[in-house]
Amino acid sequence: MHRLFLKPGRESSLQRFHPWIFSGAVRELDGQPQEGDLIEVYANDGQYLATGHYQPGTITVRVISFAQTPADPAFWRQKLERALALRRQAGLLDAPDTTMLRLVHGEGDGCPGLIVDLYGGVAVIQCHSLGFYRIRHELAALLRELLGSRLEAVYDKSAAALPFKAPITPEDAYLLGSAQDWEGTECGARYRIDVEGGQKTGFFVDQRENRQLLRAYARGRSVLNLFCYTGGFSVAALQGGASRVHSVDSSKRAIGLTLENIALNFGPDAPHEAFAEEVFDFFQRTDERYDILVVDPPAFAKHQNVLSRALRGYRNLNQKAIARVAPGGLVFTFSCSQVVSREQFREAVFTAAAQTGRTVRILHQLSQPPDHPVNIYHPEGEYLKGLVLAVE
Ligand code: SAH
């Protein structure tokens, strides 16, 4: 096996189980590891520290184990078993009314570079590193073994997520089973899942609990769901008895899926309308007020260097949203940008609130559910932040 030695004094973060090794900490490579190879990491004095996937770049190694055990099928089986046990403990794996959840959440499950989402009968694997990509067939077989016949198919959707310099030309494909019209349930609601054409792995299961909170507030109220994607918040609002719901997304395909999901759950006469347009155009074109607004934009900042622009974006968007709430109404506002901290997001929203001149209070501070666990040594894994504001 390839080996890597750290510079003196650079072992402490690994001894605390931080899952990444940055290139600046590396003293010497022993052998010529290729991207995706397993590599053992040693302290300067030769003490074994960890084993991980090698990847040339800023993050040189993503650690999969802090013990010198072989990464054989039994090793991966145990990893997946642990991930499933965590979901089972949270009541998510065998829930009667929810069949969609995240099975593996990267660093949060000791698998940096691997995401697995389950949507009813299909699991979608997304590898962000070549190390996991190489063992995708093995992972698919293990998932089938652990989940049994409820798992009808496994789709690999890594092409867009893999490092673009990797020496491969990946193509998304079924690793097990074949294409079907997939459908899953979340808290009693049905959703069509477009695993092949949809964004990310197909659905945003991370908002499950927050959708249920909206549901609890929705009775008799008008709701505007901005950045609706496949309409999760719109469906939850109607489940909760909203008097009417408007959904907005710039993607025609997303709006199509939203309409399909509304019809699937509430038939053709649901009090719902969808608008395929930019949120800012919608704001400009209309002047209607709503009892509840949901603001769940895509990540505004993917890198630290665009942080200030992203914060400006959150301020601007939230100011417009807060201005649109009917007196006594609510705003559910979110950020899924990893590089924007909870504190920075709060500040951006507070500034926006102050600029509207309205009285705003915080009712709830929201995050991600237990199928998206956060490794305490990898706080970046806590990406979803939300606030529910009461606006006078
Ligand atoms: N709230 C959704 C997830 C949102 S993902 C859910 O619960 O599933 C972000 C969505 O924002 C995407 O569907 C994308 O098409 C849409 N989007 C991005 N920029 C936009 C813009 N300027 N105006 C409207 N929609 C936008």
Side-chain angles (χ1 to χ4, degrees):
M1 169 129 30
H2 304 290
R3 296 190 305 172
L4 176 157
F5 293 86
L6 296 181
K7 289 176 182 165
R10 301 302 285 267
E11 64 282 355
S12 54
S13 70
L14 276 185
Q15 284 165 337
R16 290 194 308 267
F17 307 117
H18 193 289
W20 294 351
I21 293 158
F22 292 97
S23 56
V26 178
R27 189 197 78 203
E28 188 190 336
L29 275 176
D30 178 14
Q32 287 189 319
Q34 302 298 304
E35 181 167 353
D37 283 353
L38 284 170
I39 189 164
E40 285 184 346
V41 181
Y42 292 82
N44 184 57
D45 66 5
Q47 185 203 351
Y48 169 84
L49 295 168
T51 303
H53 288 135
Y54 175 76
Q55 196 166 313
T58 319
I59 303 169
T60 305
V61 180
R62 289 171 165 81
V63 173
I64 58 158
S65 177
F66 294 94
Q68 220 164 355
T69 44
D72 56 14
F75 170 87
W76 290 116
R77 186 178 209 283
Q78 194 187 38
K79 278 257 188 211
L80 293 179
E81 266 172 348
R82 282 191 187 163
L84 296 190
L86 204 72
R87 276 76 184 165
R88 194 167 281 121
Q89 171 182 270
L92 284 170
L93 200 54
D94 308 305
D97 62 350
T98 296
T99 61
M100 306 201 286
L101 66 150
R102 177 152 293 188
L103 296 177
V104 179
H105 184 56
E107 283 81 357
D109 285 294
C111 296
L114 179 67
I115 297 292
V116 183
D117 286 332
L118 182 68
Y119 302 124
V122 62
V124 183
I125 292 187
Q126 195 170 61
C127 304
H128 293 252
S129 73
L130 211 52
F132 278 111
Y133 188 67
R134 282 196 197 158
I135 59 165
R136 64 195 183 284
H137 292 282
E138 186 177 331
L139 293 171
L142 284 169
L143 284 170
R144 171 70 202 221
E145 195 184 315
L146 295 173
L147 289 168
S149 58
R150 72 184 272 178
L151 188 69
E152 297 166 58
V154 178
Y155 185 67
D156 165 41
K157 201 174 182 183
S158 303
L162 284 164
F164 69 95
K165 286 188 200 141
I168 46 165
T169 43
E171 274 181 36
D172 295 339
Y174 278 89
L175 304 174
L176 210 106
S178 56
Q180 279 184 43
D181 286 337
W182 299 111
E183 196 183 303
T185 54
E186 180 180 277
C187 305
R190 296 164 64 189
Y191 292 95
R192 285 286 302 276
I193 307 295
D194 180 6
V195 296
E196 291 165 55
Q199 297 177 33
K200 299 275 175 79
T201 60
F203 189 79
F204 290 93
V205 282
D206 55 358
Q207 290 284 23
R208 180 191 316 112
E209 292 180 349
N210 303 329
R211 291 191 188 111
Q212 294 313 299
L213 187 65
L214 171 68
R215 178 180 180 174
Y217 275 108
R219 180 151 304 279
R221 306 182 99 178
S222 61
V223 176
L224 174 61
N225 179 13
L226 299 171
F227 309 94
C228 67
Y229 185 41
T230 53
F233 280 103
S234 305
V235 169
L238 289 171
Q239 276 182 300
S243 57
R244 99 203 140 80
V245 178
H246 286 172
S247 304
V248 180
D249 198 290
S250 55
S251 154
K252 279 205 177 74
R253 188 175 191 136
I255 290 295
L257 281 165
T258 294
L259 290 170
E260 225 179 301
N261 288 331
I262 298 285
L264 196 60
N265 289 283
F266 309 103
D269 302 321
H272 175 264
E273 263 181 273
F275 304 91
E277 70 182 303
E278 299 274 329
V279 160
F280 287 100
D281 292 346
F282 179 84
F283 273 142
Q284 211 151 36
R285 185 175 63 75
T286 62
D287 53 12
E288 191 170 340
R289 289 194 166 200
Y290 298 84
D291 297 323
I292 303 179
L293 271 84
V294 180
V295 186
D296 183 26
F300 280 172
K302 294 226 163 71
H303 303 287
Q304 200 71 35
N305 54 3
V306 291
L307 180 64
S308 61
R309 202 174 64 204
L311 292 175
R312 219 176 313 130
Y314 286 118
R315 279 197 298 273
N316 196 4
L317 177 61
N318 281 284
Q319 188 190 341
K320 291 206 157 54
I322 293 167
R324 273 308 172 91
V325 195
L330 303 172
V331 179
F332 284 63
T333 183
F334 298 95
S335 162
C336 60
S337 303
Q338 252 183 27
V339 298
V340 173
S341 71
R342 193 165 282 278
E343 207 41 53
Q344 285 166 327
F345 177 60
R346 281 164 63 102
E347 261 177 48
V349 174
F350 291 177
T351 308
Q355 280 166 351
T356 63
R358 302 182 71 173
T359 303
V360 175
R361 287 178 292 167
I362 302 172
L363 301 190
H364 299 270
Q365 313 208 29
L366 308 176
S367 189
Q368 58 209 57
D371 48 338
H372 296 63
V374 181
N375 178 333
I376 59 167
Y377 299 111
H378 178 252
E380 300 91 330
E382 186 188 348
Y383 64 98
L384 185 61
K385 304 155 278 282
L387 295 168
V388 180
L389 309 172
V391 183
E392 312 264 312

